[in-house]
Amino acid sequence: MASFDFDTTWYIEAPIGEVFNALTDSLHWPDWWPGLVDVQPLVAGNEYGIGRTQHFVWKSRLGYHLRFDIRITRVCEPRLIEGVASGDVAGLGSWQLHEENLGTRVHYLWQVRTVPPWMGLLARLARPLVVWNHQAMMREGHAGLIRHLARLAPHPEGKVGSLPSREGW
């Protein structure tokens, strides 16, 4: 098993409510997030989303597929979404949103460990490639979300923009 603590920050020139709604609508993430192959609902959860469980299939830039379920454990609209992952990776994910200037700062924490033995071996042998893969997929998600929000609700200037994303580990 290998453990990862990924820390990603995005800035998006869109209201916090629009960003929150797009992030909670994960069944439609494959429409705008490259690398996300499929999302399937498993459990509906309550009216706030607590208990909602979905199955995610990602195709990495390294060629392997990552399959896991996310069960939502905490939601504070429009500022926080937390969930627990189980499957090829196990751990915690947290989206934290903050209003900043005329937009939204999105902070994503992904603290997981690999579960399949082959994945743990890959992570130990090629950790820099696994980190690079995660960062590339998060950059693509950032760009995809900006495009998605621009299509949904064009802003007065006619665009949704951002500053570059920042990833860490």
Side-chain angles (χ1 to χ4, degrees), residues 101-164:
N101 300 322
L102 298 176
T104 304
R105 175 127 351 242
V106 178
H107 186 206
Y108 183 64
L109 295 174
W110 184 232
Q111 299 169 315
V112 293
R113 60 181 168 72
T114 59
V115 174
W118 72 266
M119 197 174 287
L121 180 61
L122 171 69
R124 281 191 294 281
L125 295 175
R127 187 175 190 88
L129 285 175
V130 173
V131 170
W132 167 83
N133 180 75
H134 175 83
Q135 291 174 341
M137 294 183 84
M138 292 304 290
R139 280 191 303 274
E140 291 171 349
H142 181 221
L145 180 54
I146 290 166
R147 286 189 304 272
H148 174 70
L149 291 171
R151 283 191 303 267
L152 288 179
H155 292 271
E157 300 81 27
K159 67 181 183 82
V160 172
S162 72
L163 299 173

Side-chain angles (χ1 to χ4, degrees), residues 40-163:
Q40 291 297 317
L42 300 177
V43 177
N46 69 16
E47 67 270 22
Y48 306 106
I50 307 299
R52 182 182 74 187
T53 306
Q54 296 173 329
H55 182 73
F56 291 78
V57 179
W58 296 84
K59 183 176 182 197
S60 78
R61 288 177 150 211
L62 301 174
Y64 62 87
H65 283 79
L66 193 61
R67 295 170 175 84
F68 55 86
D69 298 342
I70 296 284
R71 180 177 50 83
I72 301 300
T73 56
R74 189 170 166 213
V75 176
C76 298
E77 186 174 347
R79 302 196 182 281
L80 178 70
I81 308 161
E82 290 181 350
V84 175
S86 59
D88 287 343
V89 294
L92 304 170
S94 171
W95 294 100
Q96 301 167 26
L97 288 72
H98 305 276
E99 293 175 298
E100 186 173 302
N101 300 322
L102 298 176
T104 304
R105 175 127 351 242
V106 178
H107 186 206
Y108 183 64
L109 295 174
W110 184 232
Q111 299 169 315
V112 293
R113 60 181 168 72
T114 59
V115 174
W118 72 266
M119 197 174 287
L121 180 61
L122 171 69
R124 281 191 294 281
L125 295 175
R127 187 175 190 88
L129 285 175
V130 173
V131 170
W132 167 83
N133 180 75
H134 175 83
Q135 291 174 341
M137 294 183 84
M138 292 304 290
R139 280 191 303 274
E140 291 171 349
H142 181 221
L145 180 54
I146 290 166
R147 286 189 304 272
H148 174 70
L149 291 171
R151 283 191 303 267
L152 288 179
H155 292 271
E157 300 81 27
K159 67 181 183 82
V160 172
S162 72
L163 299 173

Side-chain angles (χ1 to χ4, degrees), residues 10 22-23 28-34 140-141 144-145 147-148 151:
W10 296 342
L23 291 175
H28 290 100
W29 287 6
D31 298 341
W32 54 264
W33 199 324
E140 291 171 349
L145 180 54
R147 286 189 304 272
H148 174 70
R151 283 191 303 267

